[in-house]
Amino acid sequence: MDASQARSLHEDRLMKLANVTGVGIGKDDHSGADVIVVFVTRKVPRDRLRDEDVIPEVLEGAPVRVLAIGEPAAQ
């Protein structure tokens, strides 16, 4: 399964997690491979999250990257 399909499959669940503001597709800085990007208001140490709020490192074989973007604001 490619990153786009994996994102579509898991986007609704990811959007319900604490601090998540968006989900998209991006490129890995090193390999150039497609990755799932999960946008969060701020990164929180794993040990401070409930188990159900931890963002997985891989979904359906696609790598997941977490990107802190702060609070979204209307333009």
Side-chain angles (χ1 to χ4, degrees):
M1 180 175 294
D2 68 20
S4 182
Q5 292 169 320
R7 180 197 56 96
S8 293
L9 184 63
H10 293 279
E11 184 171 13
D12 288 341
R13 182 179 65 82
L14 290 169
M15 288 299 297
K16 293 176 184 172
L17 300 180
N19 297 319
V20 173
T21 58
V23 181
I25 299 295
K27 296 282 186 189
D28 183 80
D29 291 338
H30 296 71
S31 70
D34 287 342
V35 297
I36 299 168
V37 181
V38 180
F39 301 98
V40 297
T41 54
R42 60 187 166 80
K43 286 190 175 184
V44 176
R46 183 179 290 260
D47 63 348
R48 295 189 57 205
L49 290 170
R50 298 177 305 162
D51 288 342
E52 57 269 19
D53 284 328
V54 173
I55 297 169
E57 294 180 10
V58 176
L59 288 170
E60 308 296 333
V64 177
R65 302 292 182 262
V66 177
L67 182 62
I69 62 169
E71 294 290 335
Q75 297 293 344

Short mmCIF file of all heavy atoms in Angstrom, two decimals:
data_model
loop_
_atom_site.label_atom_id
_atom_site.label_comp_id
_atom_site.label_asym_id
_atom_site.label_seq_id
_atom_site.Cartn_x
_atom_site.Cartn_y
_atom_site.Cartn_z
N MET A 1 0.86 -1.18 0.00
CA MET A 1 0.00 0.00 0.00
C MET A 1 0.89 1.23 0.00
O MET A 1 1.86 1.31 0.75
CB MET A 1 -0.90 -0.04 1.24
CG MET A 1 -1.83 1.13 1.36
SD MET A 1 -2.99 1.02 2.74
CE MET A 1 -4.00 -0.36 2.27
N ASP A 2 0.58 2.21 -0.84
CA ASP A 2 1.40 3.42 -0.87
C ASP A 2 0.95 4.42 0.21
O ASP A 2 -0.08 4.23 0.86
CB ASP A 2 1.42 4.04 -2.26
CG ASP A 2 0.08 4.65 -2.70
OD1 ASP A 2 -0.78 4.93 -1.85
OD2 ASP A 2 -0.08 4.85 -3.91
N ALA A 3 1.74 5.47 0.39
CA ALA A 3 1.49 6.44 1.45
C ALA A 3 0.13 7.13 1.29
O ALA A 3 -0.56 7.39 2.28
CB ALA A 3 2.61 7.48 1.49
N SER A 4 -0.26 7.42 0.06
CA SER A 4 -1.54 8.09 -0.18
C SER A 4 -2.71 7.20 0.25
O SER A 4 -3.66 7.68 0.89
CB SER A 4 -1.65 8.47 -1.65
OG SER A 4 -2.85 9.15 -1.88
N GLN A 5 -2.65 5.94 -0.10
CA GLN A 5 -3.71 5.01 0.29
C GLN A 5 -3.75 4.84 1.81
O GLN A 5 -4.82 4.82 2.43
CB GLN A 5 -3.51 3.66 -0.37
CG GLN A 5 -3.70 3.68 -1.87
CD GLN A 5 -3.21 2.39 -2.52
OE1 GLN A 5 -2.19 1.84 -2.14
NE2 GLN A 5 -3.98 1.92 -3.50
N ALA A 6 -2.56 4.72 2.43
CA ALA A 6 -2.49 4.56 3.89
C ALA A 6 -3.03 5.80 4.59
O ALA A 6 -3.75 5.70 5.59
CB ALA A 6 -1.05 4.29 4.31
N ARG A 7 -2.71 6.99 4.06
CA ARG A 7 -3.24 8.23 4.65
C ARG A 7 -4.76 8.23 4.59
O ARG A 7 -5.44 8.53 5.57
CB ARG A 7 -2.71 9.45 3.91
CG ARG A 7 -3.24 10.76 4.51
CD ARG A 7 -3.04 11.92 3.56
NE ARG A 7 -3.66 11.66 2.27
CZ ARG A 7 -4.87 12.09 1.91
NH1 ARG A 7 -5.60 12.78 2.75
NH2 ARG A 7 -5.36 11.82 0.74
N SER A 8 -5.31 7.90 3.45
CA SER A 8 -6.77 7.88 3.29
C SER A 8 -7.42 6.91 4.27
O SER A 8 -8.46 7.21 4.85
CB SER A 8 -7.14 7.49 1.87
OG SER A 8 -6.75 8.48 0.97
N LEU A 9 -6.79 5.78 4.46
CA LEU A 9 -7.33 4.75 5.35
C LEU A 9 -7.31 5.18 6.81
O LEU A 9 -8.22 4.86 7.57
CB LEU A 9 -6.53 3.45 5.17
CG LEU A 9 -7.00 2.23 5.91
CD1 LEU A 9 -8.39 1.80 5.46
CD2 LEU A 9 -6.01 1.09 5.72
N HIS A 10 -6.30 5.95 7.23
CA HIS A 10 -6.11 6.26 8.64
C HIS A 10 -6.38 7.72 9.02
O HIS A 10 -6.31 8.08 10.18
CB HIS A 10 -4.68 5.89 9.06
CG HIS A 10 -4.43 4.43 9.03
ND1 HIS A 10 -4.81 3.59 10.05
CD2 HIS A 10 -3.85 3.65 8.09
CE1 HIS A 10 -4.47 2.35 9.74
NE2 HIS A 10 -3.89 2.35 8.55
N GLU A 11 -6.68 8.57 8.04
CA GLU A 11 -6.81 10.00 8.30
C GLU A 11 -7.86 10.33 9.36
O GLU A 11 -7.60 11.14 10.26
CB GLU A 11 -7.13 10.75 7.01
CG GLU A 11 -7.17 12.25 7.19
CD GLU A 11 -7.27 12.99 5.87
OE1 GLU A 11 -7.55 12.37 4.83
OE2 GLU A 11 -7.07 14.21 5.90
N ASP A 12 -9.02 9.74 9.29
CA ASP A 12 -10.08 10.05 10.26
C ASP A 12 -9.63 9.76 11.69
O ASP A 12 -9.85 10.56 12.60
CB ASP A 12 -11.36 9.28 9.95
CG ASP A 12 -12.07 9.79 8.71
OD1 ASP A 12 -11.80 10.94 8.28
OD2 ASP A 12 -12.90 9.04 8.16
N ARG A 13 -8.98 8.62 11.88
CA ARG A 13 -8.51 8.24 13.22
C ARG A 13 -7.40 9.17 13.69
O ARG A 13 -7.40 9.63 14.83
CB ARG A 13 -8.02 6.79 13.23
CG ARG A 13 -7.56 6.33 14.60
CD ARG A 13 -7.09 4.90 14.59
NE ARG A 13 -5.90 4.69 13.77
CZ ARG A 13 -4.65 4.92 14.19
NH1 ARG A 13 -4.44 5.41 15.39
NH2 ARG A 13 -3.63 4.69 13.39
N LEU A 14 -6.47 9.51 12.80
CA LEU A 14 -5.37 10.40 13.17
C LEU A 14 -5.88 11.78 13.56
O LEU A 14 -5.36 12.39 14.50
CB LEU A 14 -4.37 10.51 12.01
CG LEU A 14 -3.54 9.27 11.71
CD1 LEU A 14 -2.80 9.43 10.40
CD2 LEU A 14 -2.58 8.97 12.85
N MET A 15 -6.88 12.27 12.86
CA MET A 15 -7.41 13.61 13.14
C MET A 15 -8.06 13.70 14.52
O MET A 15 -8.23 14.80 15.05
CB MET A 15 -8.41 14.04 12.06
CG MET A 15 -7.77 14.38 10.74
SD MET A 15 -6.60 15.75 10.83
CE MET A 15 -7.68 17.10 11.32
N LYS A 16 -8.40 12.58 15.11
CA LYS A 16 -9.02 12.57 16.44
C LYS A 16 -7.99 12.55 17.57
O LYS A 16 -8.35 12.69 18.73
CB LYS A 16 -9.95 11.37 16.58
CG LYS A 16 -11.15 11.46 15.66
CD LYS A 16 -11.99 10.22 15.74
CE LYS A 16 -13.12 10.30 14.72
NZ LYS A 16 -13.86 9.04 14.61
N LEU A 17 -6.71 12.42 17.24
CA LEU A 17 -5.66 12.35 18.26
C LEU A 17 -5.36 13.74 18.82
O LEU A 17 -5.54 14.75 18.14
CB LEU A 17 -4.39 11.73 17.67
CG LEU A 17 -4.52 10.31 17.14
CD1 LEU A 17 -3.18 9.84 16.59
CD2 LEU A 17 -5.04 9.36 18.19
N ALA A 18 -4.84 13.76 20.04
CA ALA A 18 -4.50 15.02 20.71
C ALA A 18 -3.47 15.80 19.89
O ALA A 18 -2.51 15.22 19.39
CB ALA A 18 -3.94 14.72 22.10
N ASN A 19 -3.69 17.09 19.73
CA ASN A 19 -2.79 18.03 19.07
C ASN A 19 -2.71 17.91 17.55
O ASN A 19 -2.00 18.68 16.91
CB ASN A 19 -1.36 17.95 19.63
CG ASN A 19 -1.30 18.33 21.08
OD1 ASN A 19 -1.93 19.28 21.51
ND2 ASN A 19 -0.54 17.59 21.85
N VAL A 20 -3.40 16.95 16.93
CA VAL A 20 -3.31 16.79 15.48
C VAL A 20 -4.20 17.82 14.80
O VAL A 20 -5.37 17.98 15.14
CB VAL A 20 -3.70 15.36 15.04
CG1 VAL A 20 -3.78 15.24 13.52
CG2 VAL A 20 -2.70 14.35 15.60
N THR A 21 -3.62 18.53 13.81
CA THR A 21 -4.38 19.55 13.08
C THR A 21 -4.53 19.22 11.60
O THR A 21 -5.30 19.86 10.90
CB THR A 21 -3.71 20.93 13.20
OG1 THR A 21 -2.37 20.84 12.69
CG2 THR A 21 -3.66 21.39 14.65
N GLY A 22 -3.79 18.23 11.11
CA GLY A 22 -3.90 17.88 9.70
C GLY A 22 -3.07 16.65 9.36
O GLY A 22 -2.19 16.26 10.12
N VAL A 23 -3.37 16.06 8.21
CA VAL A 23 -2.66 14.88 7.72
C VAL A 23 -2.44 15.07 6.23
O VAL A 23 -3.35 15.48 5.51
CB VAL A 23 -3.47 13.58 7.97
CG1 VAL A 23 -2.71 12.37 7.48
CG2 VAL A 23 -3.82 13.43 9.45
N GLY A 24 -1.22 14.80 5.77
CA GLY A 24 -0.93 14.96 4.36
C GLY A 24 0.13 13.97 3.90
O GLY A 24 0.49 13.04 4.62
N ILE A 25 0.65 14.22 2.71
CA ILE A 25 1.70 13.41 2.12
C ILE A 25 2.89 14.32 1.85
O ILE A 25 2.72 15.46 1.41
CB ILE A 25 1.23 12.77 0.79
CG1 ILE A 25 0.03 11.86 1.02
CG2 ILE A 25 2.36 11.99 0.12
CD1 ILE A 25 0.30 10.65 1.87
N GLY A 26 4.08 13.81 2.10
CA GLY A 26 5.30 14.57 1.83
C GLY A 26 6.39 13.64 1.35
O GLY A 26 6.15 12.45 1.10
N LYS A 27 7.58 14.17 1.20
CA LYS A 27 8.74 13.40 0.78
C LYS A 27 9.74 13.32 1.92
O LYS A 27 9.99 14.31 2.60
CB LYS A 27 9.42 14.07 -0.42
CG LYS A 27 8.57 14.12 -1.67
CD LYS A 27 8.56 12.81 -2.36
CE LYS A 27 7.81 12.93 -3.69
NZ LYS A 27 7.59 11.65 -4.30
N ASP A 28 10.34 12.14 2.10
CA ASP A 28 11.39 11.97 3.09
C ASP A 28 12.61 12.79 2.66
O ASP A 28 12.99 12.77 1.49
CB ASP A 28 11.77 10.49 3.19
CG ASP A 28 12.80 10.26 4.27
OD1 ASP A 28 12.42 10.20 5.44
OD2 ASP A 28 14.00 10.15 3.92
N ASP A 29 13.19 13.54 3.59
CA ASP A 29 14.33 14.40 3.27
C ASP A 29 15.54 13.62 2.74
O ASP A 29 16.30 14.14 1.93
CB ASP A 29 14.77 15.19 4.51
CG ASP A 29 13.74 16.24 4.92
OD1 ASP A 29 12.93 16.64 4.07
OD2 ASP A 29 13.75 16.64 6.09
N HIS A 30 15.72 12.40 3.21
CA HIS A 30 16.91 11.64 2.83
C HIS A 30 16.68 10.75 1.62
O HIS A 30 17.46 10.76 0.68
CB HIS A 30 17.39 10.80 4.02
CG HIS A 30 17.85 11.64 5.17
ND1 HIS A 30 16.98 12.37 5.95
CD2 HIS A 30 19.07 11.89 5.66
CE1 HIS A 30 17.65 13.02 6.87
NE2 HIS A 30 18.93 12.75 6.72
N SER A 31 15.60 9.97 1.63
CA SER A 31 15.38 8.99 0.56
C SER A 31 14.52 9.52 -0.58
O SER A 31 14.54 8.96 -1.67
CB SER A 31 14.72 7.73 1.14
OG SER A 31 13.38 8.01 1.52
N GLY A 32 13.73 10.55 -0.32
CA GLY A 32 12.82 11.06 -1.33
C GLY A 32 11.54 10.25 -1.45
O GLY A 32 10.68 10.54 -2.26
N ALA A 33 11.40 9.22 -0.62
CA ALA A 33 10.21 8.37 -0.64
C ALA A 33 9.01 9.13 -0.07
O ALA A 33 9.16 10.04 0.76
CB ALA A 33 10.45 7.10 0.18
N ASP A 34 7.81 8.76 -0.52
CA ASP A 34 6.59 9.36 0.03
C ASP A 34 6.41 8.94 1.48
O ASP A 34 6.66 7.78 1.84
CB ASP A 34 5.37 8.91 -0.78
CG ASP A 34 5.29 9.58 -2.13
OD1 ASP A 34 5.95 10.61 -2.33
OD2 ASP A 34 4.55 9.06 -2.99
N VAL A 35 5.98 9.88 2.30
CA VAL A 35 5.69 9.62 3.71
C VAL A 35 4.36 10.27 4.07
O VAL A 35 3.90 11.20 3.40
CB VAL A 35 6.79 10.17 4.65
CG1 VAL A 35 8.12 9.48 4.40
CG2 VAL A 35 6.93 11.67 4.52
N ILE A 36 3.74 9.76 5.11
CA ILE A 36 2.55 10.39 5.68
C ILE A 36 3.04 11.46 6.65
O ILE A 36 3.89 11.17 7.50
CB ILE A 36 1.67 9.35 6.41
CG1 ILE A 36 1.20 8.28 5.43
CG2 ILE A 36 0.49 10.04 7.11
CD1 ILE A 36 0.57 7.09 6.11
N VAL A 37 2.53 12.67 6.52
CA VAL A 37 2.92 13.76 7.41
C VAL A 37 1.72 14.07 8.30
O VAL A 37 0.62 14.32 7.81
CB VAL A 37 3.34 15.02 6.63
CG1 VAL A 37 3.75 16.13 7.59
CG2 VAL A 37 4.47 14.70 5.66
N VAL A 38 1.95 14.03 9.60
CA VAL A 38 0.91 14.37 10.57
C VAL A 38 1.31 15.70 11.20
O VAL A 38 2.38 15.82 11.80
CB VAL A 38 0.75 13.27 11.65
CG1 VAL A 38 -0.33 13.66 12.65
CG2 VAL A 38 0.43 11.93 11.01
N PHE A 39 0.47 16.72 10.99
CA PHE A 39 0.73 18.06 11.52
C PHE A 39 0.13 18.17 12.92
O PHE A 39 -1.03 17.81 13.13
CB PHE A 39 0.11 19.11 10.60
CG PHE A 39 0.64 19.06 9.20
CD1 PHE A 39 -0.06 18.39 8.21
CD2 PHE A 39 1.84 19.66 8.88
CE1 PHE A 39 0.42 18.33 6.91
CE2 PHE A 39 2.34 19.60 7.59
CZ PHE A 39 1.64 18.94 6.60
N VAL A 40 0.94 18.65 13.86
CA VAL A 40 0.50 18.81 15.24
C VAL A 40 0.79 20.23 15.70
O VAL A 40 1.66 20.91 15.16
CB VAL A 40 1.19 17.79 16.19
CG1 VAL A 40 0.81 16.36 15.82
CG2 VAL A 40 2.70 17.96 16.18
N THR A 41 0.04 20.68 16.71
CA THR A 41 0.28 22.03 17.25
C THR A 41 1.64 22.08 17.95
O THR A 41 2.35 23.07 17.85
CB THR A 41 -0.82 22.45 18.23
OG1 THR A 41 -0.96 21.45 19.24
CG2 THR A 41 -2.14 22.65 17.51
N ARG A 42 1.98 21.00 18.65
CA ARG A 42 3.28 20.92 19.31
C ARG A 42 3.60 19.45 19.54
O ARG A 42 2.70 18.62 19.69
CB ARG A 42 3.28 21.67 20.63
CG ARG A 42 2.28 21.15 21.63
CD ARG A 42 2.19 22.04 22.87
NE ARG A 42 1.02 21.72 23.64
CZ ARG A 42 0.91 20.70 24.48
NH1 ARG A 42 1.92 19.89 24.67
NH2 ARG A 42 -0.21 20.48 25.15
N LYS A 43 4.89 19.13 19.55
CA LYS A 43 5.30 17.76 19.84
C LYS A 43 5.28 17.56 21.34
O LYS A 43 5.66 18.45 22.10
CB LYS A 43 6.69 17.48 19.29
CG LYS A 43 6.70 17.33 17.78
CD LYS A 43 8.05 16.81 17.33
CE LYS A 43 8.02 16.53 15.85
NZ LYS A 43 9.28 15.92 15.40
N VAL A 44 4.82 16.39 21.75
CA VAL A 44 4.74 16.03 23.16
C VAL A 44 5.53 14.74 23.34
O VAL A 44 5.40 13.82 22.53
CB VAL A 44 3.26 15.81 23.58
CG1 VAL A 44 3.17 15.34 25.01
CG2 VAL A 44 2.46 17.09 23.36
N PRO A 45 6.38 14.66 24.37
CA PRO A 45 7.11 13.41 24.59
C PRO A 45 6.16 12.22 24.70
O PRO A 45 5.08 12.32 25.29
CB PRO A 45 7.84 13.64 25.91
CG PRO A 45 7.93 15.13 26.03
CD PRO A 45 6.69 15.67 25.36
N ARG A 46 6.57 11.11 24.09
CA ARG A 46 5.74 9.90 24.06
C ARG A 46 5.26 9.50 25.46
O ARG A 46 4.12 9.09 25.62
CB ARG A 46 6.52 8.77 23.41
CG ARG A 46 5.76 7.49 23.26
CD ARG A 46 6.61 6.43 22.59
NE ARG A 46 6.85 6.74 21.20
CZ ARG A 46 6.18 6.19 20.19
NH1 ARG A 46 5.26 5.29 20.43
NH2 ARG A 46 6.44 6.53 18.95
N ASP A 47 6.12 9.63 26.46
CA ASP A 47 5.75 9.18 27.81
C ASP A 47 4.72 10.10 28.47
O ASP A 47 4.21 9.78 29.54
CB ASP A 47 6.99 9.02 28.69
CG ASP A 47 7.75 10.31 28.93
OD1 ASP A 47 7.49 11.31 28.25
OD2 ASP A 47 8.63 10.30 29.81
N ARG A 48 4.40 11.22 27.84
CA ARG A 48 3.38 12.13 28.37
C ARG A 48 2.06 12.00 27.64
O ARG A 48 1.11 12.73 27.92
CB ARG A 48 3.89 13.56 28.33
CG ARG A 48 5.09 13.73 29.28
CD ARG A 48 5.53 15.13 29.46
NE ARG A 48 4.44 15.96 29.96
CZ ARG A 48 4.37 17.26 29.78
NH1 ARG A 48 5.32 17.89 29.13
NH2 ARG A 48 3.36 17.94 30.25
N LEU A 49 2.00 11.08 26.66
CA LEU A 49 0.77 10.84 25.90
C LEU A 49 0.08 9.58 26.39
O LEU A 49 0.75 8.63 26.82
CB LEU A 49 1.09 10.68 24.41
CG LEU A 49 1.54 11.93 23.66
CD1 LEU A 49 2.04 11.53 22.28
CD2 LEU A 49 0.41 12.93 23.56
N ARG A 50 -1.22 9.57 26.26
CA ARG A 50 -1.95 8.32 26.50
C ARG A 50 -1.60 7.38 25.34
O ARG A 50 -1.32 7.84 24.23
CB ARG A 50 -3.45 8.57 26.51
CG ARG A 50 -3.92 9.51 27.62
CD ARG A 50 -5.40 9.77 27.55
NE ARG A 50 -5.74 10.27 26.23
CZ ARG A 50 -6.97 10.28 25.73
NH1 ARG A 50 -7.98 9.83 26.44
NH2 ARG A 50 -7.21 10.75 24.52
N ASP A 51 -1.62 6.09 25.58
CA ASP A 51 -1.28 5.12 24.54
C ASP A 51 -2.09 5.34 23.27
O ASP A 51 -1.57 5.25 22.16
CB ASP A 51 -1.47 3.68 25.03
CG ASP A 51 -0.42 3.26 26.04
OD1 ASP A 51 0.64 3.91 26.11
OD2 ASP A 51 -0.65 2.26 26.74
N GLU A 52 -3.36 5.67 23.42
CA GLU A 52 -4.23 5.84 22.26
C GLU A 52 -3.95 7.14 21.50
O GLU A 52 -4.44 7.33 20.39
CB GLU A 52 -5.71 5.76 22.65
CG GLU A 52 -6.14 6.74 23.70
CD GLU A 52 -6.04 6.23 25.12
OE1 GLU A 52 -5.33 5.25 25.39
OE2 GLU A 52 -6.69 6.84 26.00
N ASP A 53 -3.14 8.05 22.04
CA ASP A 53 -2.80 9.30 21.36
C ASP A 53 -1.41 9.29 20.71
O ASP A 53 -1.01 10.28 20.12
CB ASP A 53 -2.89 10.49 22.32
CG ASP A 53 -4.33 10.89 22.61
OD1 ASP A 53 -5.18 10.74 21.71
OD2 ASP A 53 -4.60 11.35 23.73
N VAL A 54 -0.70 8.16 20.82
CA VAL A 54 0.62 8.06 20.20
C VAL A 54 0.45 7.87 18.69
O VAL A 54 -0.30 7.01 18.24
CB VAL A 54 1.43 6.89 20.80
CG1 VAL A 54 2.73 6.68 20.05
CG2 VAL A 54 1.70 7.15 22.28
N ILE A 55 1.16 8.68 17.91
CA ILE A 55 1.13 8.56 16.45
C ILE A 55 2.12 7.48 16.04
O ILE A 55 3.29 7.55 16.41
CB ILE A 55 1.49 9.91 15.79
CG1 ILE A 55 0.44 10.97 16.17
CG2 ILE A 55 1.61 9.75 14.28
CD1 ILE A 55 0.82 12.38 15.80
N PRO A 56 1.66 6.47 15.30
CA PRO A 56 2.56 5.38 14.92
C PRO A 56 3.68 5.87 13.99
O PRO A 56 3.52 6.85 13.26
CB PRO A 56 1.66 4.38 14.18
CG PRO A 56 0.31 4.98 14.13
CD PRO A 56 0.32 6.31 14.80
N GLU A 57 4.81 5.17 14.00
CA GLU A 57 5.94 5.51 13.14
C GLU A 57 5.72 5.01 11.71
O GLU A 57 6.32 5.54 10.78
CB GLU A 57 7.23 4.93 13.70
CG GLU A 57 7.62 5.56 15.02
CD GLU A 57 8.90 4.98 15.59
OE1 GLU A 57 9.59 4.22 14.89
OE2 GLU A 57 9.21 5.31 16.75
N VAL A 58 4.88 4.00 11.55
CA VAL A 58 4.59 3.41 10.24
C VAL A 58 3.12 3.04 10.20
O VAL A 58 2.58 2.53 11.18
CB VAL A 58 5.45 2.14 10.00
CG1 VAL A 58 5.09 1.47 8.69
CG2 VAL A 58 6.93 2.45 10.05
N LEU A 59 2.45 3.31 9.07
CA LEU A 59 1.07 2.89 8.85
C LEU A 59 0.99 2.15 7.53
O LEU A 59 1.34 2.73 6.48
CB LEU A 59 0.13 4.10 8.82
CG LEU A 59 -0.13 4.80 10.15
CD1 LEU A 59 -0.86 6.11 9.93
CD2 LEU A 59 -0.93 3.89 11.07
N GLU A 60 0.56 0.92 7.56
CA GLU A 60 0.41 0.11 6.34
C GLU A 60 1.71 0.09 5.52
O GLU A 60 1.68 0.09 4.30
CB GLU A 60 -0.75 0.62 5.48
CG GLU A 60 -2.06 0.80 6.19
CD GLU A 60 -2.66 -0.50 6.72
OE1 GLU A 60 -2.38 -1.58 6.16
OE2 GLU A 60 -3.41 -0.44 7.72
N GLY A 61 2.84 0.10 6.21
CA GLY A 61 4.13 0.07 5.53
C GLY A 61 4.66 1.43 5.11
O GLY A 61 5.79 1.54 4.64
N ALA A 62 3.86 2.49 5.27
CA ALA A 62 4.29 3.84 4.89
C ALA A 62 4.86 4.55 6.13
O ALA A 62 4.21 4.58 7.18
CB ALA A 62 3.13 4.64 4.33
N PRO A 63 6.06 5.15 6.01
CA PRO A 63 6.62 5.89 7.14
C PRO A 63 5.76 7.09 7.49
O PRO A 63 5.14 7.70 6.62
CB PRO A 63 7.99 6.35 6.63
CG PRO A 63 8.23 5.62 5.36
CD PRO A 63 6.91 5.16 4.84
N VAL A 64 5.75 7.44 8.78
CA VAL A 64 4.99 8.58 9.27
C VAL A 64 5.95 9.58 9.88
O VAL A 64 6.83 9.22 10.65
CB VAL A 64 3.95 8.13 10.33
CG1 VAL A 64 3.21 9.32 10.91
CG2 VAL A 64 2.98 7.12 9.74
N ARG A 65 5.78 10.85 9.53
CA ARG A 65 6.57 11.95 10.10
C ARG A 65 5.62 12.89 10.82
O ARG A 65 4.53 13.16 10.33
CB ARG A 65 7.33 12.72 9.02
CG ARG A 65 8.27 11.88 8.19
CD ARG A 65 9.45 11.39 9.02
NE ARG A 65 10.37 10.62 8.22
CZ ARG A 65 10.39 9.29 8.16
NH1 ARG A 65 9.52 8.59 8.84
NH2 ARG A 65 11.29 8.67 7.42
N VAL A 66 6.05 13.38 11.98
CA VAL A 66 5.25 14.33 12.75
C VAL A 66 5.90 15.70 12.62
O VAL A 66 7.10 15.85 12.84
CB VAL A 66 5.16 13.91 14.23
CG1 VAL A 66 4.38 14.94 15.04
CG2 VAL A 66 4.51 12.53 14.35
N LEU A 67 5.11 16.69 12.24
CA LEU A 67 5.62 18.04 12.02
C LEU A 67 4.84 19.02 12.89
O LEU A 67 3.62 19.17 12.73
CB LEU A 67 5.48 18.42 10.54
CG LEU A 67 6.00 19.77 10.12
CD1 LEU A 67 7.50 19.88 10.37
CD2 LEU A 67 5.70 20.01 8.65
N ALA A 68 5.54 19.67 13.82
CA ALA A 68 4.90 20.67 14.69
C ALA A 68 4.77 21.98 13.92
O ALA A 68 5.76 22.50 13.39
CB ALA A 68 5.72 20.86 15.96
N ILE A 69 3.55 22.52 13.84
CA ILE A 69 3.30 23.76 13.10
C ILE A 69 2.72 24.87 13.96
O ILE A 69 2.44 25.95 13.45
CB ILE A 69 2.39 23.50 11.87
CG1 ILE A 69 1.02 22.98 12.32
CG2 ILE A 69 3.05 22.57 10.89
CD1 ILE A 69 -0.02 22.97 11.20
N GLY A 70 2.50 24.60 15.23
CA GLY A 70 1.89 25.61 16.08
C GLY A 70 0.37 25.64 15.87
O GLY A 70 -0.20 24.79 15.22
N GLU A 71 -0.24 26.66 16.42
CA GLU A 71 -1.69 26.81 16.29
C GLU A 71 -2.04 27.33 14.90
O GLU A 71 -1.51 28.37 14.48
CB GLU A 71 -2.24 27.77 17.34
CG GLU A 71 -2.11 27.28 18.77
CD GLU A 71 -3.03 26.13 19.09
OE1 GLU A 71 -4.09 25.98 18.43
OE2 GLU A 71 -2.70 25.37 20.01
N PRO A 72 -2.91 26.64 14.17
CA PRO A 72 -3.29 27.15 12.84
C PRO A 72 -4.12 28.43 12.97
O PRO A 72 -4.87 28.59 13.93
CB PRO A 72 -4.12 26.02 12.23
CG PRO A 72 -4.45 25.10 13.34
CD PRO A 72 -3.53 25.38 14.49
N ALA A 73 -3.94 29.33 12.03
CA ALA A 73 -4.68 30.59 12.04
C ALA A 73 -5.21 30.85 10.63
O ALA A 73 -4.55 30.54 9.64
CB ALA A 73 -3.79 31.74 12.48
N ALA A 74 -6.39 31.43 10.55
CA ALA A 74 -6.97 31.78 9.26
C ALA A 74 -6.15 32.87 8.60
O ALA A 74 -5.65 33.78 9.27
CB ALA A 74 -8.41 32.23 9.44
N GLN A 75 -6.02 32.79 7.30
CA GLN A 75 -5.25 33.81 6.55
C GLN A 75 -6.17 34.84 5.96
O GLN A 75 -7.20 34.61 5.51
CB GLN A 75 -4.44 33.15 5.45
CG GLN A 75 -3.40 32.19 5.97
CD GLN A 75 -2.29 32.88 6.76
OE1 GLN A 75 -2.10 34.08 6.70
NE2 GLN A 75 -1.57 32.10 7.52
#
